[in-house]
């Protein structure tokens, strides 16, 4: 089980990341100079109404939004981790998943947050970080 403190420590350990409090729906957002990649996400009234219409509900516990590289990656991640990741109508057509922190371990969370950071990090910074960690850049 991961926590918001885990999100914070993973995200802020990456180069060029700042935390903005009160950003998205009054929760914390972690961003690079080119945009946010992970954020606290609570439900709006519209989210709750749409979920109710679908016969679902917002989960208990802390939820974060996590940017994905593409809609295909979003679908693949959701299929890979269906207990931890979900989406809502508001995210239709948007490359991000919602993550239940009480259903994911810190290692999986670190991978998701790092991949999200790579979508927003400047190319040179990302390439340098990947090289320093012995990792290959993602395929174009």
């Amino acid at each position: 089980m991961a926590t918001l403190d885990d999100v914070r420590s993973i995200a802020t350990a990456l180069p060029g990341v700042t935390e903005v409090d009160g950003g998205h729906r009054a929760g914390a957002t972690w961003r690079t100079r080119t945009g946010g990649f992970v954020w606290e996400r609570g439900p709006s009234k519209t989210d709750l109404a749409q979920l109710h219409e679908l016969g679902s509900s917002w989960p208990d516990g802390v939820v974060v939004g996590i940017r994905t590289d593409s809609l295909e990656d979003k679908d693949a991640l959701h299929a890979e981790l269906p207990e931890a990741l979900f989406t809502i109508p508001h995210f239709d057509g948007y490359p991000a998943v919602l993550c239940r922190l009480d259903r994911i371990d810190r290692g999986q969370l670190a991978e998701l947050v790092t991949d999200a950071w790579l979508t927003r990090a400047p190319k040179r910074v990302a390439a340098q970080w990947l090289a320093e960690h012995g990792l290959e850049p993602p395929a174009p």
Side-chain angles (χ1 to χ4, degrees):
M1 179 173 117
T3 67
L4 198 56
D5 285 336
D6 291 326
V7 174
R8 180 174 287 110
S9 67
I10 294 163
T12 58
L14 297 163
V17 172
T18 58
E19 180 177 336
V20 179
D21 287 326
H24 192 82
R25 299 200 192 282
T29 298
W30 293 271
R31 58 178 292 120
T32 68
R33 64 179 170 84
T34 59
F37 61 95
V38 64
W39 58 95
E40 277 186 90
R41 178 61 157 82
S44 70
K45 288 180 184 179
T46 301
D47 296 333
L48 295 174
Q50 289 174 332
L51 287 170
H52 181 74
E53 288 175 15
L54 295 170
S56 189
S57 61
W58 192 265
D60 292 331
V62 178
V63 172
V64 294
I66 302 175
R67 181 80 182 207
T68 63
D69 190 44
S70 66
L71 294 176
E72 293 78 17
D73 285 348
K74 172 185 179 171
D75 292 342
L77 286 169
H78 186 249
E80 182 181 332
L81 298 168
E83 293 297 317
L85 303 179
F86 68 104
T87 190
I88 56 175
H90 180 77
F91 279 32
D92 288 351
Y94 184 71
V97 291
L98 293 166
C99 179
R100 297 179 63 174
L101 294 182
D102 62 352
R103 298 281 178 100
I104 195 163
D105 68 45
R106 193 178 195 287
Q108 292 169 318
L109 178 66
E111 186 175 331
L112 291 172
V113 170
T114 301
D115 287 348
W117 171 77
L118 288 168
T119 70
R120 294 298 200 179
K123 291 189 187 312
R124 190 178 78 246
V125 173
Q128 181 179 350
W129 186 90
L130 288 166
E132 288 171 359
H133 290 85
L135 301 170
E136 293 290 321

